[in-house]
Amino acid sequence: MSDPASAPSRDGRAPLVDPQLARYLAEHPAPAAAADALIRDGQGRILLVDPVYKDGWDLPGGMAEDEEPASALVRELGEELGLTVEVGRLLAVDSVPATVYGRTILAFVYAGHLPGDHAPSALVPQDGEIRSARFLPEREALELLPPLLRRRVAAALAAERGSHTAVLRDGHRPPPHRRDYYALLPAPMMAATVLVTDTSGRVLVLDPSYKDHLDLPGGMVEADESPAQAAARELAEELGLTVPVGRLLAVDTSSAAAARHGRAVTCMIFAAPPLAPAQAGQLTFPDGEIRAAYWMSRDEAARRLPARLAARVAAGLDALATGGVIHLERGEPTAPPAELTVRERATQARAAMVDRLTADGVLTDPDLRRALLAVRREVLLPRCYVRRPTAAGQPRAWQLLDGADHRDRDEWLAWIHDGDSVLIQHRGEPLDAAERGQIVTGGGFTGMSTGMTTAVEGLQTLGLTAGDRVLESGTGPGLVTAALCEILGDTAVTTIEADPHLAEAARERLARLGHRPRVVRGDGLAGRPGERFDAVLLSFAVRGLPPALLEQLADGGRLLAPITTGAVGWPAQAMVRRTGDTLAAVLRPVASGHRPGLGVDLVTAPDRMPDGPVTVRPSRLAPPEEAGFWLAVGHLLPGLVRVAGAERLSLYAPAEESCAIVRSDGGSSVVERIGPRNIWAEVESVHARWTQAGRPDHYRLDLTDPAVQRVDGGTGAHPLTWRLPRRLAPAAVAS
């Protein structure tokens, strides 16, 4: 043995240890050391050898000479079996007293890893010390070993499945302290995966540098953290994302992983809030483990991910939709899916509706998306009226569906999640007064929800932020109210409803969802005198902006109001902002509008064309498509109705029993006129004025005097101008 005292340090300047101490250690008696290897083949079997120099089977290895145990193991395996082995972690240390072999021995058992899969026939004894070598199943191998070695190998096997090193005395484990006992318990490995989606519902898939396949965000759980904490840490390390980890979606368990990793694996799949476009497009890879990240649809992820990971994506998305937790075993559900409850079906339908709004580009705000996913429409819309076909010449008819009745349930769920306006009250009736299946004709609906596209666009236009106080005028069934509560909190929301039945039903149903905003029965046009709000939202259309609501805008506040001419076909929206004492407002056309509020006479198209002679004439004006032009027509030519969905442009003046039906003829048009009013000539005149004004697509609204609301649009010396009519006096309704 060389003298450690003379061994230079790594920098060559001084000995590694004190020379006197080195001489003492070199002369000190020490236990003998043996090093064995626990080696498995590709089938998980254990390698045993039959030595010539002792009875019974043994692990491959031998005694250490002037070397450390791991080096001795490499040497022995090469000499005895011609094997090149990678020495892994230390599995067991067994102190054998001198009473057994005449000298104390420290027996080390290491994990040994072969390069590739070695069949028993490939093991050839090299030095005559080994008769044979065989790979054997665990149980058979343990039965062949002598008792002392059997106990040692059993402890090493337990350590291999755990995360510890077995410390033995003569093959026995000393009685452990309680803390040691729990630390030594073998347990499945724990992994945490995060299902990260964006506001379009796509799933985040990663390309890791250390794997040969795509993967999901996440990693192994460390000893001092919970699975959710591990998930959050992995998001930060892999992607630079600091986002809250949401609820548990699925658990995937598997004992089959023990064949590859030595231990079973349990993977917890968590949700994360959908990433906004800015977050989704600015992912970073701080720790260098990720090469690239991709956003994939469910179908694309199923094609490109390994089957086990694709199953986790599918389970996670299903759990997001149903609100449950799915248990998988090796990627397969542990039980066939049970029939979904009404709540689960409604959750799926709601998620599909939100996904449609997102895919269509309507819904872009992640906070609003989360709110809409949380609002249980089936609670707020337990009954609804649906249109039924009628014979030609018969009045239109609607039938009442009741979601509590199994005969209506499928159609009811589809209808309330379709995204269109839902009719809930006929002629001011109590909401539970009518019997299921009741048929009503001729319209007369006084309670309904706002169409989802219109509601989403309005809420996003308001730009709500934490701390805003909001006033909603027109509660209806409370769908928008519930979304506002989800975004801002209940105490920030005041909603006003004139109809007593709607107000009381909304208050009770919102409470069932856990929301308790201030629900006021009163005049929505009067608001709450003496109070100030950061945002005011009207859920019904008005002819002019209510001065009382303008007065209640706080500094920096916004008011959004649907504007109607009283006729179908010209929807518009006014956006007002207050800065100090100044009100700035813009009037824009929109694709769909709201039902006019009480007190506004609604002009609709007749069921059939007026009688009378038909006059046909050409026109140089082809039917314009610009919404800004038709907004001006609706206000400058009162009493006109445009028929939606007609094959040809159809304009009616019901009061004069007149109509104009226009078809395009290249760059011009042909007009069919019936009745005394020359509708198309008036349209041509407005078009000329609109063109002179610079073809405006929106209009300014002067609110210097809220009682005189003047609209003008365009540039130059010929702007289009008109005034919004003064609103009707509010109905007296007790609060």
Side-chain angles (χ1 to χ4, degrees), residues 8 66 125 162 194 217 322 348 422 426 444 453 464 471 501 628 708:
D66 187 12
V194 189
T322 62
Q348 290 183 341
V422 181
H426 185 250
T453 296
L464 300 170
L471 171 66
H501 305 304
V708 182

Side-chain angles (χ1 to χ4, degrees), residues 145-152:
L145 294 172
L148 172 60
L149 187 55
R150 183 185 308 140
R151 294 194 299 269
R152 185 184 305 158

Side-chain angles (χ1 to χ4, degrees), residues 307-377:
R308 180 75 169 274
L309 299 181
R312 292 175 184 174
V313 170
L317 292 175
D318 288 345
L320 275 176
T322 62
V325 177
I326 297 176
H327 181 202
L328 306 172
E329 179 69 32
R330 301 182 66 181
E332 296 291 335
T334 55
E339 183 177 349
L340 296 178
T341 64
V342 173
R343 179 167 181 171
E344 290 170 339
R345 293 175 62 191
T347 302
Q348 290 183 341
R350 185 165 68 249
M353 179 191 70
V354 172
D355 286 344
R356 289 195 302 271
L357 291 166
T358 303
D360 292 342
V362 176
L363 177 57
T364 58
D365 184 337
D367 290 334
L368 180 54
R369 176 185 170 88
R370 286 193 291 273
L372 296 180
L373 287 171
V375 174
R376 296 178 56 199
R377 297 170 68 86

